[in-house]
């Protein structure tokens, strides 16, 4: 909405707490796409992601109305933390689902560099396939590893921020990334997949 243009998320949150429902609508509009993408990436199921997204925003509303948000300049971080907790709650409820912690190594610097793709069609096709293969391999990772890879390379968060968001130590975050990279390298080798983009 134009009337909220230039306002920070934090200012909108405070406005909502003071009774302005339109401010919350604006916050939701600003946040929903990025947050849903994050949830979907971790859980891999549209219906489950939708449920967790809705649960996250119910919790956001409740916490805002109960005065549990303080203007720290990190509203997006705060909301992502609530979403992470909702995801972990969902996983805890799925006792039948076995989540293992374990293995892959590769430099993922090229993960988000689609713009680097060569102008030659052959290279473009190879690079497109590499990115598809990388995404497929990432989706095969256990959820905690997939989450840390997503936060690091798609959201470009530091390991300190990842640790704070996921409620683990920095060493655990680094360990999950290490295992994710080892697993990705192992899967690439196992299926003879080339993970390097062509220049």
């Amino acid at each position: 909405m134009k009337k909220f243009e230039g306002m920070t998320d934090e200012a909108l949150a405070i406005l909502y707490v003071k009774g302005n429902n339109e401010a919350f609508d604006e916050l939701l509009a600003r946040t929903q796409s990025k947050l849903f993408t994050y949830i979907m990436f971790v859980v891999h199921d549209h219906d489950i992601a939708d449920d967790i997204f809705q649960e996250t925003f119910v919790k956001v509303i409740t916490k805002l109305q109960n005065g549990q948000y303080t203007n720290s300049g990190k509203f997006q971080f705060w909301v992502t933390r609530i979403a992470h907790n909702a995801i972990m709650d969902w996983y805890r409820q799925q006792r039948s689902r076995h989540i293992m912690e374990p293995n892959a190594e590769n430099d993922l610097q090229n993960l988000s560099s689609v713009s680097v793709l060569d102008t030659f069609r052959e290279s473009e096709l190879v690079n497109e396939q590499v990115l598809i293969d990388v995404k497929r391999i990432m989706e095969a990772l256990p959820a905690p590893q997939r989450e840390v890879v997503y936060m690091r390379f798609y959201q470009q968060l530091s390991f300190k921020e990842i640790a704070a968001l996921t409620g683990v130590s920095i060493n655990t975050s680094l360990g999950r990334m290490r295992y994710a990279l080892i697993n990705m390298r192992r899967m690439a080798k196992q299926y003879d997949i080339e993970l390097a983009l062509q220049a």
Side-chain angles (χ1 to χ4, degrees):
M1 291 179 217
K2 274 215 166 181
K3 69 177 180 179
F4 297 122
E5 210 172 292
M7 287 187 76
T8 65
D9 294 345
E10 292 69 30
L12 288 170
I14 302 304
L15 252 177
Y16 170 67
V17 170
K18 291 178 180 175
N20 188 325
N21 289 330
E22 287 182 345
F24 184 79
D25 294 341
E26 175 67 14
L27 267 178
L28 180 61
R30 288 183 185 184
T31 310
Q32 63 186 1
S33 177
K34 189 175 180 182
L35 192 66
F36 185 82
T37 300
Y38 160 64
I39 296 168
M40 182 67 185
F41 189 85
V42 177
V43 300
H44 281 181
D45 182 292
H46 194 280
D47 292 336
I48 293 167
D50 200 38
D51 289 346
I52 292 173
F53 177 82
Q54 289 176 39
E55 184 185 338
T56 298
F57 266 91
V58 166
K59 288 181 178 179
V60 167
I61 289 168
T62 304
K63 287 177 183 290
L64 284 170
Q65 290 175 343
N66 291 337
Q68 292 176 281
Y69 173 73
T70 53
N71 187 352
S72 62
K74 295 182 178 180
F75 181 80
Q76 294 285 333
F77 187 85
W78 182 71
V79 172
T80 304
R81 173 77 179 163
I82 293 170
H84 166 78
N85 290 340
I87 292 167
M88 292 305 108
D89 289 346
W90 181 83
Y91 273 118
R92 277 191 277 278
Q93 292 166 6
Q94 309 304 310
R95 292 293 177 205
S96 60
R97 182 167 183 159
H98 179 67
I99 302 172
M100 56 183 217
E101 279 282 352
N103 285 312
E105 191 167 328
N106 180 38
D107 178 10
L108 296 178
Q109 295 298 326
N110 295 322
L111 202 61
S112 61
S113 26
V114 178
S115 61
V116 178
L117 296 179
D118 200 343
T119 54
F120 299 102
R121 188 65 188 139
E122 183 180 340
S123 290
E124 287 178 352
L125 289 171
V126 169
N127 289 336
E128 284 169 18
Q129 188 59 50
V130 166
L131 293 174
I132 289 166
D133 290 341
V134 167
K135 188 168 187 246
R136 197 171 68 229
I137 288 173
M138 284 174 64
E139 288 174 352
L141 292 171
Q145 293 173 24
R146 194 166 59 240
E147 181 180 40
V148 78
V149 169
Y150 181 83
M151 288 179 164
R152 184 74 182 109
F153 292 101
Y154 284 91
Q155 295 184 319
Q156 298 179 350
L157 298 177
S158 69
F159 283 105
K160 184 177 179 183
E161 291 170 321
I162 292 169
L165 270 173
T166 56
V168 298
S169 69
I170 292 177
N171 283 346
T172 300
S173 293
L174 288 166
R176 286 178 179 173
M177 177 61 81
R178 180 176 164 272
Y179 282 123
L181 296 175
I182 293 168
N183 277 331
M184 291 181 76
R185 178 170 284 170
R186 178 184 49 77
M187 285 187 273
K189 188 173 182 180
Q190 181 180 350
Y191 297 107
D192 198 27
I193 295 171
E194 178 59 56
L195 295 181
L197 291 177
Q198 292 191 0

